[in-house]
Structure formats: structure tokens, C-alpha cells
Amino acid sequence: METDISVVVIVYNDATRLPTAVSSVLAQTLRAVEVVIVDDCSTDGSYEVAQGLAAAHPGRVRALRLPENSGGCGAPRNHGIEHARGRYVMFLDSDDELERNACRNMLEAADRSGADLVSGLCVRVHVDSRHGKRVEWYPWLYARTRTLDSIAELPDLFVFDTLSTNKCYRRDFLLEHDLRFPVGIHYEDLLFSARAYLAADRITLIPNRVYFWNVVEKGGERSISNRRHEIANFAHRMEIHRRIDELLAERGQEELKFRKDVKFLKHDLVLHLRDLPLLDTEYRHRFAELARPYIATLDPAAYEEAQPIQAVCAYLLDREDWENLLPAADTLTNRDKISVPLVEREGRIYWCDAGHLADPEGRRILDVTDEGYHVRPLPSMFLRNRLTTYEDDGRGTIRLTGRVVNPLGRIAPGARLRGQLEFRARRRSLRTFRFPLRTLDHTGEFIDWAAEADLAGRLRPLGVIDAVWDVRLVLEVDGERLRTRLSVDGPLLDRAERLRVRPRLTRLVADRLEPHVSRRGHLSFVLTSRGPAARRARQAVDAAVAGRAGDLARAGVRGARKARRRIDSGDTKIRTYHAALLKLPVRKGLVVFESHLGKQYSDSPRAIYEEMRRRGIDFEPVWSYAGRKPEGFPADATLVRRWSWPYLRALAQAEFWIDNQGFPLKLTKRPETTYLQTWHGSALKRMGFDEPRHKLQSRPEQERYQQVLDRFDHFLIRSEHDVRTLARALRLREEVLLRTGYPRNDALVAGHSAGHRTGHRTGRTAELAAELGIPEDRRVLLYAPTFRGGTSGRARGFELPFDVEEFTRRLGDRYVLLVRSHYLDHVVLPPSVRGRVLDVTGHHDITPLLLLADALVTDYSSVMFDYALLDRPMLFYAYDWEEYANETRGTYFDLREHAPGPFVETEEALFSALADLKAADTEYAAARHRFVTEYGEYDRGDAARTIVDMFFGGGRR
């Protein structure tokens, strides 16, 4: 029988795992497969095991052996190619496995497409993971079956999937192009794959799993790719990269070279840079000698594609600026960590100076303004805390000193400082142990500290489950608390002794704490044992844990965790809500409020709540909040986290639901509950069933959506425009509509009645201006654009569509600009506009900001309908109107024709209109009046009072 595929299995000193790898080939659903085992002159009996397998499976398994060890994977694989008999060749390492249908799926794809090579999905299996972790290797490349006539059609395949083992090669193709692995050098896969990709006339990708790459991270012999602390390892990587670049240059593949440069900055270099802080000076300098010549060959444009910190590291490495590079390497490992004091120059934030800012390239690469380090609240800052000394007295007491970075002087010299060291078990423990600091000093760019911890006398671990203890410095600055991990640089712990401790269970299990550097470079302590008796006791415990009793205990723990996850799952909550919670009695007077899916305490629900409080209504208020803790919500209401059990119970028993967007879609409202939907704006863009995405839904999907909308007992509208648009698009019945206007707009109607022409701010408006630091002689502009993101519900970066620095140069002496993006966006403003452009996105309620603003700049946000009630100037910066109106969702009317203010589409036109704001005010006065008449006719300033009178009796109940 003709052999379809030869699977070359290479082995070196891996006798134990070799039979499993071979079995994964023999068990293939494709029968015409042979195994060619090539032993790289093993010393542990691997070749004898291979011979036994060949004897047990004659004709299907052959065992070959190299005369001497080659030290790599290249030579044995090349030997296998020479002896392969199949039409196609695959490669398998002795510690990995093939998926059962791998050969059949790849052969069928090869025969169908005539491809020179077929590639499938590789899965990294973390063998020592407690939870059976599996990670697919670049799965987006294998989302569907496709055939490429050139690797240039899919550069990502060339750049990212550099494995040779998840592929099936036509053997004649390998021989014709003399494709062999380099010998005597590591990372041979990279060069072999590059040559194969470039030589192939046709490449087919299949979405099937084909290869299981077994990864062992704890203990044992490290693989070549995991021995990054060896300088020869990096030298080999650099040599392979140089050879591939030469190959690309010969083929004129400039685009592939550029993509490879980007990947080098984002991946290859990062892998080694992360280890630098823990390695000695000699290694670092040798590393730089190898890296710098290659970095010089990178396309400068590649830095723009990399993440800022990756580009910063490459630049600093090229300059051998270790003082700033080592902290940057810490940030590579610990995303968002602020590792250096940072530098502000001419309104921009830079990673460092050290003379680099005189270099235009350095100024460009080291600019980290857009990372927003300068605008983060102090308690949420992830600050680097470098351990500077570690000493122990041999009796269980350690003395530590360290330096916490103080970026841009955020911690003022006169700040009240307190701190303590915190020892906390990584897994759940009975206690957290804390030790006060001996000294805590502000030294300008750093906060220096010293501490002494009597671990032998005070730290009492259990001894089994709390084997790893992490150390944190808890720093209190003027009452605000932040936690920092202790970063370890260099061989600081090389001479550290193991410390005696007294576990609560028994010293026979463990009696020492050993200082350790975690995978992220932080100080931790590992509980260990010492001496023959301790080792025997530990072995007994380990045996028990590994035995039936341990299996039962682990099964119990896993069962408990699984039950907990099942109880807290969304499906369980929904089922329980309908099966049990809805059977609880309705609690009279219980009102559940929610604004913008729990993100804010704002809008019409807030206005109704505060009117009820002002009127002395007797009710039981519950406010929902999203996130970890409720910030900015009222203290005189019960607060429940969205989707928590208390939240579900409150909804099930509430007499009223009041919100402005939508309670969870899958929760049914009981008939006894009144759902008051206040909504959150009139419609310019198409809504509900008028949206393209809803029109494309199936009938069952549309029916489910309609059931959600039918929960509304009352729906607030502010004009007949709402009736024609919102109400129709949401298919609301006439009897549901309440023509009251929006309670949130009562304050705007009152603000217009009070007048705003005096030029003086009073009351809450004056307080807000003072809070924001706005001078009396500056007029206030509010920029409030619409939301442009996806539907993930996560905050994302928002890039302003005009140059705020240019705004301050031209108009900053007259105006303060307030920027309020959507609550799912976040804005980063450069320090150069400090005091003249302010980010007010964090303010829950926009109404006070509208009252403060002398003019509004927006695009298509429904805030235009609200602000019009104030009869103040509005400008419409519609820089992408054609795309938005015609390609995104469509609109109910042409804003260009109805805009009650200048409609501009360029930055220059915007600045010109702002410079002549008086003209925009007077020329569009009539248009504003028509706009309010058409879109705000029911906003009369009494909406909250009307709602309270209608549903809550207007007084105490």
C-alpha cells in the first residue's frame, strides 16, 4: 500500500513520552501513514524504545539514529526527510501529539487544492496547568479554509505562524527546492518556514486542529525557546533573523520585511527584554552588542506599528540607556505600570530625557502622552517599587529598602505619607500579615522607604494551601491608598537565606520561607521544607495528595468551585429569577432606578429620584451600579451591583422600574410592576426596528426584541417628533406614551428662564466653575460628541477630531473647552492644554455642564435637543457626515438643513466659527426657536413634578 504521509518524529533523551507521540500517529484515521523515528543519539534509552516500537509495528514504524548528537532539531528532521517514503511529510516532536484526524484533513486539503504545503491549527497545551489550559496558536489565520497562490497574499502567516510542525509538505516540493533545516543553530523552524512559504506556489490553510504542542513551564528541563537567559540563545535568534532578511531582500519582499520588523519589535525582542532586569551586567552588555546592529536595520516606520512601550524599549536598547531601559522592561511585563518619573516638555509627556529628546527620532518614540499616565487618578496608578536592598539576620527577620517612582511629582513634597508592608498568600489564607515601615521619605522623583519584618515571629502560614506569599507596599498619600508590588532587579536575592517559620499545621510539612522572584519580576516567598525528616514528611503529604484521598479532596474542591460558578452564572440567575424570585411578593414603595446600564447616577431617573426626595415621598429607593464599587451614587439609597443577586431580587419585588436605557433584556417584568422608561434623547439617527441590524434579524429574533420593548408601561417623549420616530421605531402603543418632556431637562428650562446674558455665574453653576478652576473672564465651550464605538460595553480610547493644542493657541485666551465624551469612551489630553481644555467625561450628570456652557459643540449627539432649550449658540462639527448619515445607521432628517447653528466639516471652519461666536448666536436665533418648537415642545420644566404627581401621589404615602 502506498504511503500517503511520513511523520518524522524526532527524539532526544525522551524515552518516557516517545510512545505517546508515536501512538498519536498510529491512531490516525488515515491509515496510509508511516512513522519515521529519528533519535539524536540519546543516552537514556530512547533509541531502544524506538526500536521496540518499530518491532511492534513492522511496516508502519521505522527507527533511525544519528551517529552523534547534533544539539538541535535540524539534523534529525533532515535525516527523516531523506528516509521518508510518503507523498507528504510532517514533523512531530517526541513530547507533542497529533490530533486524531490531522493527517486525513491535511491530505484531503492538499489533494483537493494541489498545494505544496498545508497548514492547520496548532494548540498549546499547558500540561502543568491546574485547569487544563489550552491556547490556540494565532487562530485568526485559520478561521476558514483558503488557498493562497503566494505568501504575499497573507503576510501575517509568514510573520506569525513560523512553526514547521503544524504543516504537511509535499515531499517532491521539499526535494525540488532543497528545503532543509539549518544545522547547529536554534530557531531552525523560523528559517525553514520562511524558505518554504516563499518557495510554495500554493499554500492551503484549514480551520482544523492538527497539532498539540505540550508546554511544561514548571520544573524539568527547559526547552530551547524557554532558555532565554542563555546569551547563545539570543545570538542564534539574531542570526536566524539576519538570514531570513537576506532571503527577503533577494526576493524583493519589502512588505514582508516590514511586517517582520513590526513583529520583531512586538514579540521577538520583547521575549528577551522581559528577562533583562533579572540578569547581570555582563549579560546585558553582550545582549546589546548582539541586538543593536540588527535594530539598526529595522524600518523606522515599524516603530509606529508597535505599542509605545515596545518602541521605547527598542530605542533605549539601541542607545544602551540601562537606567531607563530596565524600568521600561518592567512595564513590558506588567502592562500599565509607570516605571519612571516621566518628563514633561512643552506640553508633552516623555518616558525620559537623558539627552534623547534632542534627537528628533528619540522625541518621537519616547513621547507617551497618549498613554494618559498624567491623567490617571493616584489610587489607580500602578507604580514601580524597586527593591534596593534585601537583608536577613539568619533568625527570621528581614530588612528591606525600596524606591517608589513618583511620576511627574504627583505625590507632592508636603503630602501626608503612611505605609506598611503587606504579606498575603496567593491562594486563600486565614490572615494577611502587615508590618509598619521604619522610614518613608519624599525625595522628589521617588518615595524611599525602609521596613523590617519579623517573619519567624509573626507570619504563621497554614503550611499546605498557602505555599506562596506575595509582598506589597501599601502607601497612603493624603488619605488615598495605593498598593505597589516590589520589583526585583538583578541578582539581589542570590545570597538570600531561607527563613524559619512556624506553620499552623506542622513543621514537618514545611518550615522555611524562601525569597523568590515571580514570573512578573516581583518579590514573593515560597514555603519549603529542609532536612531528611521534613522531606519524608513532605513526600508523605505529597503522596497522600496524589492518592485517592487527595483525588477526593480535589474533586470536592472542584465540585464546590464548579457549583459556585454555576450559581453565579448568567443562565442560573435568569432561571432562578423567573422560577423563584418572581414568586416573591411585590414590596409596595420599592423603586429600582438605573441610568445608562448602571454606569451613572444621572439623567431623568436622577431627576425623578431627587424630586421624590425633595417632596418627602415615602418610598424604598434602590439604585443599580456597574463596576466594582459605586462612586458618585446617592448615600441615602440602597445600592446594588448590576446582575448581582440583590439586584435581581430588587427587580423581582419592585413596585416600579425607572430607567433611561433598558433593564437586562432577558428579565421578564411582572404585571404588578410599573416600568417607567424615561429614555435618554430624541432621535437623529435611526433607532429600533429602523436600524439596519434589526431589519436583518430573523422573525424569532425580532419577536424577542419586541417582547423586551413591550415591557415598557410608560415611555416619556418630549415632542411629536419622538412619536413619529422613536415610538414608531420601537413599535410602542399610543397608550404607553407620556407627553411630559424629560425630567432631566427641567433644570435647563429653569436655566433659560433665569437668563444667562448677564455674564455672571451664580449658584451651582458658579460652584462647578470654581471646582473646575475656570476663571471668571473665560467663556465656556462644551464639546459633546456622539458615541462611535462598538458594542463591547468597555471603555475605549477616543481621539479628538481636531487639534486641541491649535485650539488653545488660537482661542485659549477667550475660552475654556470642556470635553465630555460618551461614558464608554475615554479621552487623553496633552498637558500643554492644561487649564484651557478639561476632560469632564467623569461627571455623571451632563445637565450641570450644559448649564455652565456658553456654547455647545457637537456632531450628531442627542444632547443638541436638550441644549437648545437654553437658547445659546450651538455649532455642529460634522467632519464625517456623509459616512455617518449614509453608511452607518442613517438619520431621520438632514441635519445640514435643520441645524440651529453653523454646520462645519473641517477643523479650520470650526475654529473660524468659534472665533465669531456672536454671529452664530444672533444669526441662528430664529432657527433655535424653530428647533425647540419641533423637538422639545413638551419640555416645559415640570416633567419631574408631573411624573411624581402621576405615580406617587405628589406627597407622603
Side-chain angles (χ1 to χ4, degrees):
M1 181 176 66
E2 183 185 17
T3 300
D4 286 323
I5 298 180
S6 296
V7 180
V8 177
V9 181
I10 63 170
V11 61
Y12 175 70
N13 285 355
D14 198 16
T16 303
R17 292 179 292 189
L18 177 62
T20 302
V22 172
S23 295
S24 75
V25 182
L26 298 176
Q28 289 291 302
T29 53
L30 179 71
R31 301 302 299 168
V33 177
E34 72 161 352
V35 182
V36 181
I37 305 174
V38 182
D39 176 67
D40 198 9
C41 200
S42 297
T43 60
D44 72 337
S46 293
Y47 182 58
E48 288 72 16
V49 172
Q51 289 179 310
L53 291 168
H57 304 279
R60 296 202 66 196
V61 179
R62 287 181 289 147
L64 310 174
R65 189 181 194 186
L66 297 183
E68 59 183 23
N69 179 252
S70 68
C73 302
R77 285 176 181 162
N78 292 340
H79 198 65
I81 293 173
E82 298 299 330
H83 289 80
R85 299 168 180 166
R87 293 190 294 130
Y88 292 89
V89 177
M90 293 179 64
F91 303 105
L92 174 65
D93 292 346
S94 60
D95 53 349
D96 298 332
E97 299 169 59
L98 291 183
E99 195 275 337
R100 188 166 179 266
N101 299 294
C103 291
R104 177 179 297 280
N105 288 333
M106 300 185 94
L107 179 67
E108 288 179 353
D111 286 344
R112 183 173 59 250
S113 65
D116 292 321
L117 73 87
V118 177
S119 188
L121 189 59
C122 172
V123 180
R124 283 171 60 97
V125 181
H126 294 258
V127 177
D128 48 6
S129 167
R130 291 189 294 119
H131 306 293
K133 178 181 176 183
R134 294 189 170 204
V135 180
E136 293 182 341
W137 190 254
Y138 302 115
W140 81 85
L141 294 171
Y142 299 96
R144 59 183 174 85
T145 299
R146 53 180 161 177
T147 297
L148 312 173
D149 291 326
S150 168
I151 188 61
E153 294 178 24
L154 187 60
D156 279 359
L157 181 64
F158 181 91
V159 169
F160 290 101
D161 188 359
T162 56
L163 300 176
S164 65
T165 48
N166 61 332
K167 297 172 178 61
C168 179
Y169 308 85
R170 187 166 54 83
R171 184 167 179 268
D172 288 345
F173 163 70
L174 297 179
L175 299 178
E176 176 186 349
H177 294 277
D178 194 25
L179 290 174
R180 299 293 187 276
F181 290 86
V183 177
I185 188 170
H186 301 322
Y187 301 105
E188 55 278 295
D189 267 21
L190 274 69
L191 184 57
F192 179 84
S193 296
R195 294 185 62 203
Y197 282 141
L198 291 168
D201 290 328
R202 185 166 292 177
I203 302 167
T204 295
L205 309 181
I206 60 175
N208 310 84
R209 293 182 171 189
V210 299
Y211 195 90
F212 295 115
W213 177 3
N214 294 324
V215 180
V216 180
E217 295 180 339
K218 301 174 184 176
E221 180 69 16
R222 286 189 172 190
S223 67
I224 291 170
S225 60
N226 284 328
R227 296 203 296 266
R228 292 188 294 270
H229 62 288
E230 299 175 6
I231 195 63
N233 184 297
F234 186 64
H236 286 196
R237 186 185 286 271
M238 289 294 92
E239 177 59 26
I240 288 292
H241 274 286
R242 276 188 286 271
R243 294 187 190 183
I244 295 174
D245 289 351
E246 290 173 359
L247 191 61
L248 293 174
E250 291 173 4
R251 302 293 184 96
Q253 293 285 356
E254 295 179 1
E255 177 63 20
L256 288 180
K257 169 64 166 63
F258 174 73
R259 290 295 157 196
K260 180 177 167 296
D261 287 350
V262 173
K263 196 236 183 180
F264 179 82
L265 288 175
K266 299 178 69 170
H267 176 74
D268 300 82
L269 187 60
V270 167
L271 287 176
H272 293 268
L273 285 172
R274 286 173 173 168
D275 295 330
L276 276 187
L278 298 177
L279 299 170
D280 58 33
T281 302
E282 181 181 353
Y283 178 96
R284 294 172 188 168
H285 287 299
R286 179 64 181 136
F287 179 84
E289 288 176 2
L290 292 168
R292 290 176 64 194
Y294 187 77
I295 290 175
T297 69
L298 301 180
D299 188 328
Y303 286 84
E304 300 294 333
E305 299 284 333
Q307 294 179 11
I309 191 61
Q310 296 165 348
V312 165
C313 284
Y315 179 85
L316 295 175
L317 175 61
D318 190 39
R319 273 68 179 173
E320 282 206 71
D321 181 355
W322 299 108
E323 182 178 353
N324 291 299
L325 172 59
L326 294 179
D330 193 356
T331 298
L332 277 178
T333 304
N334 299 278
R335 187 178 177 182
D336 293 330
K337 179 182 280 191
I338 305 176
S339 300
V340 291
L342 302 174
V343 174
E344 181 179 343
R345 293 283 188 276
E346 299 175 1
R348 305 294 293 177
I349 303 299
Y350 299 93
W351 186 259
C352 61
D353 187 350
H356 304 310
L357 300 186
D359 172 18
E361 183 183 10
R363 200 172 185 86
R364 175 176 60 85
I365 293 174
L366 298 177
D367 188 334
V368 292
T369 307
D370 292 342
E371 295 301 287
Y373 294 132
H374 58 292
V375 297
R376 293 182 188 175
L378 186 62
S380 64
M381 282 186 171
F382 186 9
L383 301 181
R384 188 171 196 248
N385 183 357
R386 185 172 67 89
L387 187 66
T388 51
T389 62
Y390 177 97
E391 299 175 353
D392 62 72
D393 64 358
R395 297 185 298 276
T397 297
I398 60 172
R399 297 181 181 87
L400 310 176
T401 65
R403 306 195 89 183
V404 181
V405 69
N406 181 20
L408 301 170
R410 287 292 297 276
I411 302 175
R416 300 188 310 277
L417 300 178
R418 297 176 56 190
Q420 55 186 346
L421 276 185
E422 180 180 86
F423 287 72
R424 177 180 295 180
R426 190 168 296 174
R427 298 180 68 183
R428 187 170 300 173
S429 181
L430 296 178
R431 291 183 60 189
T432 295
F433 298 91
R434 297 182 178 89
F435 301 88
L437 300 183
R438 287 195 293 113
T439 62
L440 186 59
D441 300 315
H442 193 300
T443 60
E445 292 185 335
F446 300 95
I447 307 297
D448 290 343
W449 59 270
E452 183 173 284
D454 179 10
L455 301 185
R458 285 196 54 203
L459 196 148
R460 297 293 306 280
L462 286 174
V464 177
I465 65 171
D466 51 357
V468 182
W469 290 76
D470 292 317
V471 189
R472 291 175 175 83
L473 177 74
V474 182
L475 190 61
E476 195 171 290
V477 182
D478 288 335
E480 292 185 308
R481 179 172 295 185
L482 58 94
R483 284 178 166 82
T484 65
R485 299 293 300 272
L486 276 58
S487 298
V488 181
D489 283 354
L492 192 64
L493 304 181
D494 285 357
R495 298 182 181 180
E497 295 289 335
R498 292 191 290 183
L499 309 167
R500 284 182 175 275
V501 290
R502 292 181 297 160
R504 293 176 181 272
L505 295 180
T506 172
R507 290 188 182 183
L508 292 178
V509 175
D511 62 351
R512 296 288 193 279
L513 272 178
E514 183 175 352
H516 173 74
V517 182
S518 72
R519 291 180 61 186
R520 293 188 177 274
H522 299 134
L523 177 66
S524 60
F525 286 86
V526 179
L527 201 60
T528 61
S529 56
R530 191 173 189 177
R535 281 196 294 271
R536 286 194 296 271
R538 185 70 193 186
Q539 289 169 357
V541 171
D542 291 342
V545 169
R548 179 170 177 75
D551 289 341
L552 291 174
R554 282 191 294 273
V557 171
R558 286 195 297 268
R561 288 176 176 168
K562 186 176 181 180
R564 177 65 179 271
R565 288 195 297 269
R566 188 167 58 247
I567 290 172
D568 286 335
S569 71
D571 289 342
T572 299
K573 287 181 175 179
I574 292 170
R575 286 197 303 269
T576 305
Y577 174 85
H578 289 96
L581 296 181
L582 284 182
K583 292 180 171 57
L584 297 173
V586 171
R587 283 157 47 186
K588 291 296 182 181
L590 176 58
V591 186
V592 179
F593 297 88
E594 185 171 286
S595 178
H596 293 302
L597 309 179
K599 299 288 197 308
Q600 298 177 351
Y601 170 58
S602 66
D603 215 80
S604 291
R606 173 177 180 169
I608 295 172
Y609 171 76
E610 292 180 350
E611 176 69 11
M612 294 172 71
R613 282 299 194 199
R614 188 183 67 80
R615 302 268 290 275
I617 304 295
D618 184 14
F619 70 113
E620 183 182 351
V622 172
W623 269 94
S624 89
Y625 69 91
R628 294 185 178 181
K629 56 183 180 179
E631 295 181 350
F633 285 82
D636 56 354
T638 299
L639 307 182
V640 294
R641 184 167 50 82
R642 204 169 195 266
W643 271 112
S644 66
W645 286 108
Y647 174 79
L648 297 176
R649 177 164 181 159
L651 287 178
Q653 293 191 274
E655 185 181 6
F656 289 93
W657 290 1
I658 300 178
D659 93 313
N660 67 348
Q661 192 156 342
F663 286 107
L665 304 183
K666 295 185 179 180
L667 299 183
T668 301
K669 181 191 72 67
R670 65 198 307 167
E672 305 95 319
T673 301
T674 298
Y675 189 167
L676 182 59
Q677 173 56 259
T678 70
W679 205 240
H680 52 276
S682 296
L684 166 64
K685 55 194 174 189
R686 295 190 176 273
M687 305 293 293
F689 287 101
D690 289 343
E691 291 184 58
R693 64 188 179 100
H694 286 303
K695 288 182 178 180
L696 295 174
Q697 286 179 332
S698 64
R699 182 178 294 275
E701 289 174 326
Q702 291 189 354
E703 289 175 351
R704 284 194 295 270
Y705 183 51
Q706 186 63 58
Q707 289 173 359
V708 171
L709 301 174
D710 288 343
R711 295 181 304 173
F712 303 157
D713 294 300
H714 303 283
F715 188 92
L716 272 57
I717 60 172
R718 51 194 306 241
S719 69
E720 289 305 306
H721 168 77
D722 289 355
V723 177
R724 296 188 300 270
T725 56
L726 274 174
R728 184 183 61 80
L730 301 178
R731 298 178 182 175
L732 301 177
R733 304 181 308 279
E734 171 63 29
E735 60 268 25
V736 171
L737 307 181
L738 291 181
R739 291 169 169 82
T740 61
Y742 287 164
R744 73 180 186 191
N745 287 342
D746 291 349
L748 300 179
V749 175
H752 175 252
S753 300
H756 190 74
R757 305 297 179 182
T758 63
H760 297 291
R761 304 180 184 114
T762 59
R764 178 67 186 111
T765 301
E767 293 174 5
L768 180 57
E771 177 187 326
L772 296 173
I774 299 175
E776 273 289 338
D777 62 343
R778 300 286 177 85
R779 302 187 73 185
V780 177
L781 302 175
L782 175 64
Y783 177 56
T786 193
F787 180 57
R788 299 170 184 277
T791 57
S792 67
R794 297 182 179 179
R796 64 182 191 95
F798 173 71
E799 186 174 347
L800 290 169
F802 57 89
D803 187 341
V804 290
E805 292 179 299
E806 180 65 17
F807 168 85
T808 60
R809 281 192 291 270
R810 296 172 61 165
L811 301 166
D813 59 340
R814 298 162 56 187
Y815 299 114
V816 171
L817 177 66
L818 307 182
V819 177
R820 192 181 196 270
S821 62
H822 192 275
Y823 62 86
L824 290 178
D825 290 331
H826 67 270
V827 175
V828 175
L829 297 173
S832 58
V833 301
R834 188 186 290 119
R836 291 171 292 179
V837 182
L838 307 176
D839 178 17
V840 293
T841 304
H843 286 244
H844 278 226
D845 202 346
I846 195 174
T847 300
L849 299 172
L850 296 176
L851 288 166
L852 175 61
D854 296 287
L856 172 72
V857 180
T858 185
D859 43 18
Y860 325 113
S861 172
S862 63
V863 73
M864 71 176 78
F865 300 104
D866 305 319
Y867 192 78
L869 296 170
L870 290 168
D871 192 25
R872 300 176 192 169
M874 288 190 285
L875 288 85
F876 297 85
Y877 183 36
Y879 58 93
D880 58 350
W881 169 251
E882 294 297 333
E883 176 186 353
Y884 186 86
N886 300 319
E887 299 178 21
T888 306
R889 285 170 63 169
T891 61
Y892 287 116
F893 61 88
D894 192 333
L895 183 61
R896 290 173 296 191
E897 297 179 4
H898 292 75
F903 185 94
V904 297
E905 299 183 65
T906 66
E907 180 182 283
E908 182 59 35
L910 171 65
F911 291 158
S912 296
L914 290 174
D916 193 12
L917 197 57
K918 185 175 181 180
D921 186 6
T922 56
E923 292 177 15
Y924 286 87
R928 288 197 299 273
H929 179 72
R930 290 194 301 270
F931 198 78
V932 171
T933 300
E934 182 164 0
Y935 302 112
E937 58 188 300
Y938 300 131
D939 278 323
R940 296 180 288 261
D942 61 352
R945 184 172 69 250
T946 301
I947 294 298
V948 172
D949 287 343
M950 186 179 298
F951 295 101
F952 302 99
R956 296 185 178 277
R957 302 208 315 171

